[in-house]
Each structure stands twice: as structure tokens, then as C-alpha cells.
């Protein structure tokens, strides 16, 4: 049964104090990393969760054995075995479709949480949504963990706060304008409303990488996301690893980044025309690039500073005012 209080003419939509959380973990042939992810879920202080593990074309035996060992028959845990790999976003969608929880989050098999992650994130979402009804998701801050894997041994080399390009997240609302130019957070840190996710069509399975950025942008275009300033999520990166132990993407991030920005600009032009606020935003971002601003890839070096000041901020301010007025209406 859903733990959400539905809205009515007399009472706006609101979450109940302990909403159910669905967790999707995608994996394929890397049990040494999957074990850490499963233990990250098992030791959460929040208990109202369900976990679905999507084994996307990997050997089923090691996954079954590991789940049995870690969870000891916990009925909150289920496994989907795909005979062949369907890709990251299709694997995410398979897990999300199988859930009927209030909220959901993607916990990749190589990432991890602090034990308080779900307790804090659900509490913050409930509290902030009661004050700002348009808030339907929460993001925590992220630690960037650099590590190496040798056999069954994982060595952590460094841990530091992560920021997307020049964007350091601070408590408050995710800025949609900035989200158009940077993927501001990783899936491991984003707790979202499952019904909204399904209404948006889930993840775009045609995208080989950056499907999370596309989903974040579509979600934030409809609802607000609150930033909670605690480092409760850990994104793990293995620059030296290859094969199954490597991080996804590589140079494809560069190509798909531009593919997505072109897609969003075309949608803006079709909807608003070349003088629309979103089109103005994209022109401003292009001018920033020309002026010497270069956003690094995930986990890359800090951006070069630029003295560029756009004359188009007024259009963006007007856009934000219209969004706020629509939320209050």
C-alpha cells in the first residue's frame, strides 16, 4: 500500500512521514563491487525499503549466492536476471517497473551510502515538501572516491567532495538553468517520486550514457528538487580499471553531452521559438564556452576562470519568475 497522502481540493499533496523507498541496483559480473553495494543497503538505519537487483546479462550464480549470503532471505530483496545485457537505462527501467513504492533511487553496484542516507533523505523530503509542495525529490551531497581494484581487494586512494564543473551544490533548490549545462548530481544521491518517474517515461533507453542527466533534466523541468548539504552518497571511480570493473562512458560522454544539449535546444525552439527563454539560455551557455569557460567531465579538473558576464541574465530571471508564479498558482 502506498504511504503517500493524496492531494484533494482541501488538502494539497503530501508525503506521509515514512514513505516506502524502492532501490534499483544494476550489475553485471563484478561481485567484488556488488557486495559493497548490497551491504550499503543492508545497513541503512531506515527500514521501509525494497531492493531489486537487475543482473543485466551477467552470470546468475554469483549474484544469487551473494544476495543469499548478505540478506539471508530478506523478503524485501528480489533479483531480475536478464539473459542478455539490455543496457544501463533499460536495466534501470526493468527495476523501476517492478516496484510499487512511493519513492525510488538508483544505487549502482559500484557506489555506496552512509548508513543514514535514506533516513535523512526521506525526512528532508517530507519536511521540505510540506513547506514547498512543488518539491518532489531530494539530492544529498556526494563524496568522490578514487579507488583501485586488485583481485578481490578494493583500495581507496582518495575521498573528496565532488562538484559538477563549476557548480558546487548548496542547500536549496536545484537550479534548472545550471542543470541544462551540467549533470549536477549522480543517481546514487537522488531520491525521487516513483510515480512521477513513470509518468515521465522512465529513463531513455536509446542513450548509451548520460541517461541519468536526461532524466534529471526532464524531472526538474516539471518539479523542484531540494539539495540537502550532507555528504551521504559516495560515487566510486576507478580510472585504472578496464573491462567489467571500469566506470561507464569514456569518450562517449563528450558526444552524448552535445547530443542531449542539441535535443533540449530543438525542443525549446519547437515550443518557444528562437526568442524563448530556454533558447536564450542555450545561447548564453555557448557564449560562455567561447569566452573561455570549459566544464570538465565528471571528476575532472576544475574549470578555468572566466571574466565573462552575460547580458542575457534578465531573460533567465524572467523565466525563473514565471516558473515560481506557476508554482504558486
Amino acid at each position: 500500500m502506498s504511504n503517500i497522502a493524496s492531494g484533494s481540493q482541501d488538502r494539497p499533496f503530501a508525503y506521509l512521514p515514512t514513505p516506502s523507498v524502492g532501490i534499483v541496483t544494476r550489475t553485471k559480473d563484478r561481485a567484488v563491487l556488488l557486495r559493497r553495494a548490497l551491504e550499503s543497503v543492508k545497513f541503512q538505519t531506515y527500514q521501509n525499503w525494497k531492493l531489486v537487483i537487475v543482473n543485466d546479462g551477467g552470470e546468475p550464480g554469483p549474484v544469487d549466492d551473494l544476495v543469499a549470503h548478505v540478506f539471508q532471505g530478506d523478503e524485501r530483496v528480489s533479483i531480475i536476471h536478464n539473459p542478455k545485457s539490455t543496457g544501463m537505462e533499460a536495466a534501470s527501467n526493468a527495476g523501476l517497473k517492478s516496484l510499487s513504492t512511493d519513492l525510488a533511487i538508483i544505487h549502482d553496484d559500484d557506489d555506496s551510502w552512509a548508513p543514514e542516507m535514506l533516513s535523512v533523505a526521506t525526512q528532508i523530503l517530507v519536511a521540505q515538501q510540506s513547506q514547498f509542495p512543488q518539491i518532489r525529490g531530494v539530492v544529498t551531497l556526494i563524496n568522490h572516491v578514487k579507488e583501485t581494484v586488485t583481485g578481490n581487494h578494493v583500495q581507496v586512494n582518495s575521498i573528496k567532495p565532488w562538484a559538477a564543473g563549476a557548480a558546487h551544490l548548496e542547500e536549496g533548490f536545484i537550479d534548472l538553468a545550471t542543470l541544462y549545462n551540467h549533470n549536477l548530481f549522480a543517481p546514487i544521491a537522488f531520491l525521487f517520486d516513483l510515480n512521477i518517474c513513470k509518468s515521465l517515461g522512465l529513463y531513455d533507453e536509446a542513450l548509451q550514457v548520460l541517461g541519468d542527466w536526461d532524466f534529471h533534466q526532464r524531472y526538474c523541468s516539471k518539479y523542484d528538487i531540494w539539495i540537502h548539504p550532507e555528504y551521504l552518497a559516495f560515487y566510486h571511480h576507478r580510472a585504472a580499471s578496464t573491462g567489467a570493473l571500469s566506470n561507464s562512458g569514456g569518450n562517449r560522454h563528450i558526444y552524448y553531452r552535445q547530443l542531449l544539449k542539441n535535443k533540449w535546444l530543438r525542443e525549446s525552439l519547437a515550443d518557444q521559438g528562437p526568442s524563448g527563454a530556454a533558447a536564450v539560455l542555450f545561447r548564453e551557455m555557448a557564449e560562455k564556452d567561447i569566452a573561455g569557460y570549459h566544464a570538465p567531465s565528471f571528476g575532472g579538473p576544475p574549470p578555468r576562470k572566466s571574466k565573462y558576464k552575460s547580458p542575457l541574465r534578465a531573460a533567465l530571471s524572467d523565466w525563473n519568475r514565471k516558473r515560481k508564479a506557476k508554482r504558486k498558482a
Side-chain angles (χ1 to χ4, degrees):
M1 181 179 295
S2 176
N3 199 25
I4 287 181
S6 300
S8 67
Q9 292 181 349
D10 300 321
R11 182 180 60 185
F13 174 92
Y15 294 106
L16 293 179
T18 56
S20 56
V21 177
I23 306 162
V24 176
T25 295
R26 314 172 287 199
T27 191
K28 182 183 178 182
D29 292 335
R30 45 190 197 178
V32 63
L33 300 177
L34 177 61
R35 177 168 185 161
R36 178 178 61 195
L38 299 183
E39 291 175 343
S40 171
V41 174
K42 178 180 179 179
F43 294 116
Q44 287 297 298
T45 57
Y46 193 79
Q47 295 298 305
N48 192 13
W49 54 260
K50 291 186 177 181
L51 169 66
V52 56
I53 299 140
V54 182
N55 179 25
D56 191 36
E59 288 295 325
V63 176
D64 290 336
D65 293 343
L66 192 55
V67 170
H69 174 74
V70 173
F71 289 107
Q72 300 292 314
D74 191 327
E75 294 182 354
R76 295 174 297 177
V77 182
S78 60
I79 307 172
I80 297 174
H81 289 296
N82 289 338
K84 295 182 179 180
S85 176
T86 59
M88 287 194 304
E89 311 315 339
S92 293
N93 289 345
L96 292 167
K97 289 175 183 177
S98 72
L99 291 167
S100 58
T101 51
D102 303 322
L103 308 174
I105 189 167
I106 304 297
H107 188 314
D108 280 336
D109 66 351
D110 60 340
D111 292 335
S112 61
W113 286 329
E116 303 81 11
M117 169 66 182
L118 293 183
S119 292
V120 172
T122 53
Q123 179 183 6
I124 293 299
L125 177 57
V126 170
Q128 293 299 335
Q129 196 272 339
S130 67
Q131 183 177 3
F132 302 102
Q134 187 70 3
I135 293 176
R136 302 292 286 277
V138 64
V139 167
T140 71
L141 299 189
I142 304 170
N143 278 305
H144 183 197
V145 182
K146 293 184 179 180
E147 61 190 20
T148 54
V149 179
T150 305
N152 289 323
H153 177 69
V154 180
Q155 177 179 318
V156 173
N157 301 315
S158 67
I159 303 176
K160 63 180 181 180
W162 173 77
H168 294 267
L169 298 183
E170 298 180 354
E171 185 173 19
F173 294 96
I174 287 287
D175 182 74
L176 179 59
T178 306
L179 187 58
Y180 269 105
N181 205 37
H182 302 285
N183 192 9
L184 296 176
F185 47 90
I188 190 66
F190 181 34
L191 183 67
F192 54 86
D193 188 298
L194 180 58
N195 285 333
I196 291 174
C197 169
K198 290 180 178 180
S199 72
L200 293 172
L202 303 169
Y203 283 76
D204 186 347
E205 298 181 8
L207 296 173
Q208 296 182 27
V209 293
L210 298 183
D212 54 329
W213 187 20
D214 174 70
F215 173 64
H216 299 162
Q217 188 274 336
R218 287 187 286 121
Y219 197 100
C220 196
S221 293
K222 299 293 184 181
Y223 294 94
D224 278 309
I225 300 169
W226 185 261
I227 304 162
H228 178 64
E230 281 191 74
Y231 289 89
L232 300 175
F234 295 81
Y235 170 83
H236 296 255
H237 186 248
R238 295 161 303 284
S241 295
T242 58
L245 293 176
S246 65
N247 294 85
S248 62
N251 289 335
R252 289 181 297 173
H253 280 90
I254 299 173
Y255 310 135
Y256 276 82
R257 172 184 169 85
Q258 195 56 54
L259 182 149
L260 285 175
K261 293 179 73 173
N262 285 347
K263 168 193 168 185
W264 298 332
L265 179 54
R266 291 187 188 103
E267 291 172 351
S268 170
L269 292 172
D271 184 45
Q272 303 176 6
S275 61
V280 170
L281 168 64
F282 277 97
R283 285 201 298 272
E284 174 187 322
M285 291 176 176
E287 290 171 10
K288 279 186 178 181
D289 288 337
I290 293 171
Y293 180 91
H294 297 277
S297 61
F298 191 73
R304 297 203 302 265
K305 293 183 178 179
S306 172
K307 296 182 179 180
Y308 175 79
K309 293 184 179 179
S310 170
L312 303 174
R313 298 304 297 183
L316 294 178
S317 297
D318 180 63
W319 184 28
N320 282 326
R321 282 195 297 271
K322 289 179 179 178
R323 288 184 69 238
K324 292 178 180 178
K326 185 179 293 186
R327 288 200 300 267
K328 294 178 181 179

